Every structure is written in structure tokens, then in C-alpha cells.
Amino acid sequence: MVSRADPLRLRVLDSDYNDMLAEHFARIVDELERKRRRWRSPSELRGFQLEIRKLLKDALGGLPEKRDELNAKVLGKLERRDYIIEKVVFESRPKLYVTGNLYIPKHADFPAPAILRVHGHWRHAKSQDVVQATCAGLASKGYVVLAIDAIGYGERRAQGDHSEGVWLPAVGLTLQGLIIWDNMRALDYLQSREEVDPERIGVTGASGGGNQTMYLAALDERVKAAVPVVSAEVFEDQVASGRCYCECIPGILKFANIPDILSLIAPRPLLLINGVKDRGFTILRARKAFSRVKAAYEALGAEEKVALFEVYAGHDYNREMREAMYLWFDRWLKGEDKTESEEPILELEPDLSYSLNCFHTFPRDTQTISGLYYEEARKLKEHRLSRSVDEWLERRDMLRREIIDEVLGGFPEREAISARTLEIMHVDGLYVEKVVLRSESDIIIPMIIAKKEEDEGTSPVVLCVSPLGKGSMLARKHVREFINKGYMVASIDYRGIGETRFSEVIAAKNSIVIGRHILGMRVYDVVRTLDYLTSRPDISKSDISCWAEDEAGLVALFAAALDERIKGLTLERTLASWESPSGFSYSPSIFPPNILKYADIPELAALVAPRRVTLVDPLDPQRQRLTLDEALKVFDFTIKVYEELNASDNLKIITSV
């Protein structure tokens, strides 16, 4: 006899299938690539550019229509041999302070060409030695250069951490969108300076800064020449890997790959610089990207305006790379067609000297990533709940379709049920089946089904889901109680947990990029599990309920909201709302794009009405249990819907604090 506390014997697969999700993402990327529309003539390319630019803006969360006052200030100056460094600050949005250093050459023909220098994921941001080197080198050659801190870096760490960018898509914003708007406002600032020729502005940056360079130049034609460094690539098997959320644009691969974005810059001058030894943005993917981008430039008769410069180096922006950049900008912004441009001896500040800082203490009234999130969440809530309960009820079916399509990214076409019982065993007086269910062509769901050995005929069933996986289910007291009451219990490892466990961070990033969110994929696994359970002759189709805990509670809640085969739902210790003024202490996999445009968690619970819902110890965004009064306030709309449907007895909220 096997102890019910021993999950090893409840394993379904011979060994863990940890590559399943990686292979799944790679397959979807390949399908999207093959389905994507291609341009076939110069006129089609121009139309393609207009279309992709609009789609990109929408995917970034839209850009503000109003340009608020920059309220720009110069807070200090540093005198150097060949240039002056001004410490500048402006507001890209009200109270969202952008800190920067403006390098003004002492010897130049003014108004001079200008360069916006954006940085990658470097802690010291505009003070990083490699950023300073670019700025000092360009200023010594007669360029006005503006280097700014990206949100969450350098002086702007007070505004949040880049990891918080995962929350933003839930309210229709993106971290890259915030950054691009900062950069567009930086162009506004450069154009406001009398030292700058507004018609000769370039942009450059490496790694994440290369991505910023690419997106900014693609969207803003004020950029007359662009040099993205160690960032050009094509999305292939790697998809998003371990990169920052600023490099994950929701659904981008549904309409464009990276070369398509780079092609939006054509016919303006574009130089790609990559390292042969770069293991992140590999030279092979860079060469593939260049080949595709070059075709766009050739179609527009501008092949001399695009180039790939390879350096036998790794992930860097070293002197050889910078000297290639100088030549490119000299050619296209100064009209100087030279064959070499030697970098002068540079005068740099120590990274940790703080001499380049604009503030001694960052303003306490600054806007933050979490503040922007909360501000937008409040606006969306006001809009969503402007309807009466009756009006909301009338559009429930439409709301379900919108959630599936616009939030979760759609469900794939259902295939015929494919499931196998691999083993039947007896565990502590229980009859236990090990089942493997195919949810999609390349997704398998390990499942266990348990019931009393003597039970025959049809039985009601409880589907149990937990982020801990199915392995511990039979050790749970409440699961044994279900079985003792005559229920059959089914439990699954939805994709990415248990026997197919995978990084929650990478799953979130990859699913954002491909436009099918990991939360929605897991909801689909539950839907397919329901398909299988209702196909079995020993299960009562009219009595299927679901129990879930923690983050799996959201998977179950979406499933119950969208699929009426779930007749009862119990959620334990599950997040109560995506509205928070101070961020979240949750996995990145629970923030699907645009969800708060359509529903918060209480409204999802209302979509289950009038079916049974029990909420046990709902949690706040910091994982603290709500009091009963707090829970009643959060779920006020759910309560009103159940009252309207004369089903108040079917909604229970139970708290232990």
C-alpha cells in the first residue's frame, strides 16, 4: 500500500517534460512567421510600413495624444576639455521626471547635429562608462548629445524596477511604451535647444538601448539616422528568453518580426552593429535580420543607407563599434564621407562618483511604474462600472468573447479528445487512474483521477488545480472529504507546472510576445480537461465543480466564467483584484494584457453567476488575507449581480481574519 503523502507514485510521465513549453512556443513562432503577410513591391512596402507602424503603436499601449509641458530645467553644469555637460531634467508625463546629461561641444558649427544616447540594462544608466564613452566621443566630434536614464535605472530607480513592467499590459500599457514616450519627449527637448539642428538628429544605444533605438526610429521620423548595437535579430526558437519586459511587446509576432520593425526605418540611414561572439543577440540572427532589412532598402532604392558592421567581440559597445558609429553619423548627419574616424582620448567620470546626477535626492512626488498602473486601473474601473447591473448582464456573452479574444489571445481550434490511461493503481483504499491528456498538438496534461474503490456508475466530479501541481492532492484533507462524500476527484498539471514545470518568467514573456497569454493557455488546459471528463461514461456531466488555490484560482475562475459546464467553484487564497496602488507580490504569469479594460476579478466571479461560488480567504495584492469587511467591499459588484439574479445563496465569502 502506498502512503497518500508520497507523490512520487502519483507521477504520470516516466520523467519530467520540462522542454514542452519551450518547444510549444517555438512551434507557434514558426507558424506565425509562415502565416504573416509579406510585401512584394515598393508600393506594398510603403503600405506595409503604415500598417505595421499603427499596429506597433497599438501593441505598445498607444502613445499619449497630448504632449504636456516638459517643464525642463538645467540643474548644474560640468566643464570639460572639449565640451560642457549640462544636468537636465524634464517631465515626459506629469511628474514623471526624466534625468539626463546634455553634452554640448565647445567647438562646433551651431546649430549642430544631435544624438540621443539611450542605454541598455546597465545599473549606472547614463553614468555607465560605455554610455559616457559614446557621449564624450560624439561631443568631441561636434555633436550635441543627450543621454537619459531609462525608467527604473540610474537616478530613476526611485520610479520602480523594470520587473514591474509585467503588470502594465493588464491595464493596456507596456514598459517599452513608457520608455519610447520618454525618448520621444527627449527628441522634443533636443529640438527645443538652440544649439541643435532639428533636422539632423540621430539615435543610438546597445542591447536594450538598441531595441529602444529600433522602436524609436521606426515610430518617429524625426530620427534621421539610427545605429542600434548588439540588438538586431529575428525571433526564432529562443523567442524572448530571459530578457527584460521592455523587450516583450504584446502580440508583436502576430504582425511583425524584428526585421519588419527595422524595415519601418527605411529609407532613412540604418547601421546595425553586432558582435560575432555575442551569445545573447547572436551574429547568425543578426545576419538573418540584416538580409531581410536590406531587401526593404533595396526595394526603395536606398541600399547604400543600410549596413551591417560585425566586430569580433561579445555583447558590448566597444571602441571599434563606436568608431563605426561615428563614421555613419558623420556621413548621414554631416555629409562627411570618410573611411575612418579615430576616437579621441576620452574624459570620463567614475561610474560611482554621482557627479553626473541631476538630483541630490530624487523628488518624492515623482510618478512611478506602479503609480501609472494604478492610475490607469482606476480610470478603466470607472469606465467598466459606468453601466448598470442590468446593462452589464445583457452583454455578458459579448464580454466572454472579448476576454477570450482580446485578453487571452484566443483559443486554438479544438481537436478530437486524445487521452490515455497509463496505469490504474490502488492508493489508501482509493482507485486511482493515471491519465495523459493532449490539450493541443504539442501540449500534454498529466492527470490523476481518484475515487472510492467500490464506487460504480456515474459520479459527480471535482476538478482540483493548484500551482503546486497534482502530486500533493491526495494528501489534502479536503480532497479526501470530497471522495468520502462520493465525488470523483480529478487533478491536473496544467502546462508549465508539476511534471512539465517551466520558468514562470520566461513563460510570461514568451506568451506576451506571441499574443497568447500563458494564463489563457492554462485556462484552455482546464477547458480541454472538461472536454475529457464530460466524455467519460462514469462522470455525471451535470455535476462538475472545481476547487483551486492561490494563482491556480485565477485559472479556474477564468475557466468557470467562460465555460458553464463548471457548476460550482471554490477558490482558496486567491488574489481578489488586479487594482493596486503599490504593486503585486505575485508570479508574472497572472497579468494578461488588457484584462482591466474588460473585467477585474470580482467581475469575472460575476460571470459565473448564478452558479455556486465560494471564496475562501481572498488575498490582497501583497498576499495578505482580507477581512470580511474588506472582501465584501472588493466583491461588491459580484454581490449585486448575484442579488439581481436572485442567487445570493450561491455566493459565499469566508474569511479567517
Side-chain angles (χ1 to χ4, degrees):
M1 188 67 66
V2 179
S3 167
R4 62 175 181 253
D6 176 14
L8 296 179
R9 286 293 302 275
L10 298 178
R11 163 179 291 283
V12 172
L13 306 177
D14 290 339
S15 61
D16 287 349
Y17 187 8
N18 303 132
D19 293 331
M20 183 182 75
L21 265 182
E23 294 167 354
H24 179 60
F25 290 131
R27 190 265 297 174
I28 292 176
V29 169
D30 179 67
E31 289 185 356
L32 291 173
E33 189 68 23
R34 286 187 284 109
K35 290 178 181 177
R36 197 174 301 117
R37 185 175 65 82
R38 311 290 181 188
W39 57 268
R40 292 182 293 274
S41 67
S43 61
E44 282 191 5
L45 173 57
R46 294 186 187 95
F48 171 88
Q49 288 177 316
L50 292 173
E51 178 185 350
I52 299 304
R53 192 171 284 123
K54 180 184 183 305
L55 291 170
L56 178 59
K57 284 182 180 178
D58 291 344
L60 286 167
L63 299 172
E65 296 180 3
K66 179 185 177 184
R67 277 175 153 80
D68 294 292
E69 288 295 326
L70 283 172
N71 297 322
K73 298 177 182 178
V74 177
L75 302 181
K77 294 184 180 182
L78 297 174
E79 287 277 349
R80 294 298 177 258
R81 182 184 65 245
D82 298 324
Y83 47 84
I84 297 169
I85 303 175
E86 291 188 354
K87 302 176 182 182
V88 302
V89 61
F90 60 84
E91 297 175 38
S92 61
R93 302 168 189 252
K95 300 300 182 182
L96 187 63
Y97 301 108
V98 179
T99 46
N101 295 142
L102 186 71
Y103 292 68
I104 304 173
K106 291 182 176 179
H107 309 289
D109 294 326
F110 295 109
I115 305 298
L116 175 62
R117 175 58 162 99
V118 290
H119 66 80
H121 301 100
W122 296 318
R123 177 177 175 82
H124 302 302
K126 68 181 183 301
S127 298
Q128 195 82 23
D129 55 359
V130 70
V131 177
Q132 288 190 61
T134 309
C135 297
L138 283 164
S140 297
K141 292 178 177 294
Y143 292 87
V144 177
V145 188
L146 176 60
I148 63 173
D149 291 329
I151 190 168
Y153 286 89
E155 293 188 71
R156 299 178 69 189
R157 286 194 293 273
Q159 295 172 340
D161 185 84
H162 65 87
S163 63
E164 298 172 2
V166 71
W167 311 330
L168 294 173
V171 294
L173 299 174
T174 65
L175 185 55
Q176 185 65 258
L178 299 187
I179 292 170
I180 292 303
W181 185 246
D182 285 352
N183 294 341
M184 287 182 170
R185 299 314 312 273
L187 296 183
D188 292 343
Y189 178 71
L190 281 173
Q191 290 189 319
S192 75
R193 296 289 302 228
E194 63 181 11
E195 303 93 338
V196 172
D197 181 345
E199 295 302 317
R200 291 190 291 162
I201 296 178
V203 61
T204 188
S207 190
N211 276 274
Q212 293 178 49
T213 298
M214 169 182 70
Y215 289 118
L216 179 63
L219 293 174
D220 197 321
E221 294 188 355
R222 291 178 295 174
V223 174
K224 303 305 181 184
V227 182
V229 180
V230 292
S231 61
E233 63 170 346
V234 292
F235 279 134
E236 293 181 322
D237 293 353
Q238 185 189 25
V239 196
S241 186
R243 298 180 194 163
C244 174
Y245 292 107
C246 71
E247 296 172 296
C248 299
I249 311 302
I252 188 172
L253 283 177
K254 287 189 172 182
F255 61 86
N257 204 323
I258 296 303
D260 301 315
I261 303 301
L262 288 166
S263 296
L264 300 183
I265 303 171
R268 288 167 289 144
L270 170 66
L271 173 64
L272 309 179
I273 299 178
N274 282 80
V276 174
K277 297 172 67 179
D278 194 334
R279 293 293 173 262
F281 294 85
T282 68
I283 194 63
L284 174 59
R285 292 203 299 274
R287 289 167 179 163
K288 288 182 177 180
F290 174 68
S291 176
R292 300 181 196 179
V293 176
K294 185 180 178 183
Y297 276 79
E298 290 173 343
L300 297 178
E303 53 266 35
E304 79 283 1
K305 292 184 179 180
V306 67
L308 170 64
F309 185 77
E310 298 182 6
V311 178
Y312 195 72
H315 198 66
D316 200 354
Y317 202 161
N318 64 22
R319 177 171 177 166
E320 186 178 1
M321 294 171 169
R322 294 195 297 271
E323 289 179 343
M325 173 267 295
Y326 300 145
L327 282 171
W328 193 257
F329 285 140
D330 284 349
R331 179 181 180 186
W332 296 109
L333 297 181
K334 287 186 176 181
E336 299 175 358
D337 197 0
K338 298 179 291 188
T339 58
E340 61 181 41
S341 181
E342 186 175 351
E343 184 172 78
I345 296 174
L346 302 176
E347 189 178 1
L348 307 183
E349 309 295 315
D351 284 348
L352 298 177
S353 71
Y354 304 109
S355 59
L356 294 173
N357 279 8
C358 298
F359 295 111
H360 293 293
T361 302
F362 206 83
R364 298 185 66 178
D365 66 346
T366 185
Q367 183 60 277
T368 62
I369 294 174
S370 59
L372 288 166
Y373 175 95
Y374 183 60
E375 186 178 278
E376 194 64 24
R378 296 289 295 177
K379 291 178 185 176
L380 293 172
K381 179 179 181 179
E382 183 178 346
H383 175 72
R384 288 194 320 271
L385 299 186
S386 61
R387 299 182 180 91
S388 68
V389 171
D390 283 341
E391 290 173 325
W392 185 88
L393 285 168
E394 287 178 2
R395 67 181 306 274
R396 278 200 301 177
D397 288 341
M398 179 183 294
L399 180 57
R400 290 187 178 104
R401 290 194 296 271
E402 289 171 337
I403 288 171
I404 291 173
D405 294 335
E406 305 301 327
V407 176
L408 303 182
F411 290 155
E413 185 176 343
R414 293 192 202 179
E415 300 175 353
I417 291 294
S418 174
R420 286 191 299 152
T421 297
L422 302 182
E423 184 181 0
I424 297 175
M425 57 189 298
H426 300 274
V427 180
D428 286 353
L430 302 180
Y431 176 92
V432 178
E433 284 184 61
K434 296 180 179 181
V435 178
V436 61
L437 168 68
R438 194 167 292 275
S439 180
E440 298 183 51
S441 62
D442 52 358
I443 294 292
I444 58 174
I445 306 301
M447 177 190 310
I448 57 170
I449 298 176
K451 64 178 181 178
K452 286 184 178 179
E453 292 191 57
E454 65 271 17
D455 282 352
E456 295 181 0
T458 60
S459 302
V461 64
V462 178
L463 173 60
C464 297
V465 287
S466 167
L468 300 177
K470 67 184 177 349
S472 64
M473 281 300 104
L474 294 189
R476 305 289 187 95
K477 179 181 177 182
H478 68 273
V479 172
R480 303 293 292 200
E481 291 174 350
F482 289 146
I483 294 173
N484 289 335
K485 291 178 181 179
Y487 285 88
M488 186 182 295
V489 168
S491 186
I492 63 171
D493 288 339
Y494 51 69
R495 69 186 77 187
I497 67 165
E499 295 181 49
T500 63
R501 64 183 176 274
F502 189 75
S503 164
E504 292 289 289
V505 171
I506 296 178
K509 291 177 180 178
N510 285 353
S511 66
I512 288 171
V513 170
I514 65 174
R516 274 190 64 202
H517 196 264
I518 184 62
L519 183 58
M521 291 179 169
R522 290 167 170 172
V523 172
Y524 186 70
D525 291 341
V526 172
V527 170
R528 293 298 282 158
T529 301
L530 295 174
D531 291 343
Y532 168 69
L533 292 175
T534 55
S535 74
R536 289 178 58 121
D538 57 347
I539 286 178
S540 173
K541 298 177 180 59
S542 61
D543 198 350
I544 298 174
S545 55
C546 186
W547 174 94
E549 65 179 353
D550 201 354
E551 293 178 2
L554 295 177
V555 177
L557 177 58
F558 271 99
L562 301 174
D563 196 319
E564 295 186 352
R565 289 177 294 182
I566 296 177
K567 304 303 181 183
L569 177 67
T570 299
L571 305 180
E572 293 196 14
R573 303 180 310 282
T574 296
L575 177 65
S577 172
W578 278 296
E579 186 180 303
S580 170
S582 54
F584 299 84
S585 297
Y586 283 85
S587 158
S589 60
I590 68 160
F591 299 96
N594 300 316
I595 180 59
L596 288 183
K597 290 183 178 181
Y598 299 98
D600 196 358
I601 291 167
E603 293 144 82
L604 288 173
L607 283 176
V608 185
R611 290 167 285 150
R612 302 184 309 277
V613 171
T614 301
L615 306 172
V616 181
D617 282 328
L619 304 179
D620 73 8
Q622 308 308 321
R623 288 188 172 273
Q624 299 301 306
R625 297 182 184 188
L626 299 178
T627 65
L628 182 58
D629 286 346
E630 289 170 336
L632 291 174
K633 183 177 180 180
V634 172
F635 286 94
D636 176 67
F637 182 79
T638 319
I639 293 168
K640 288 179 179 177
V641 169
Y642 271 83
E643 288 174 346
E644 183 68 20
L645 296 176
N646 297 314
S648 295
D649 290 345
N650 283 349
L651 175 64
K652 293 182 172 58
I653 301 176
I654 302 168
T655 62
S656 58
V657 292

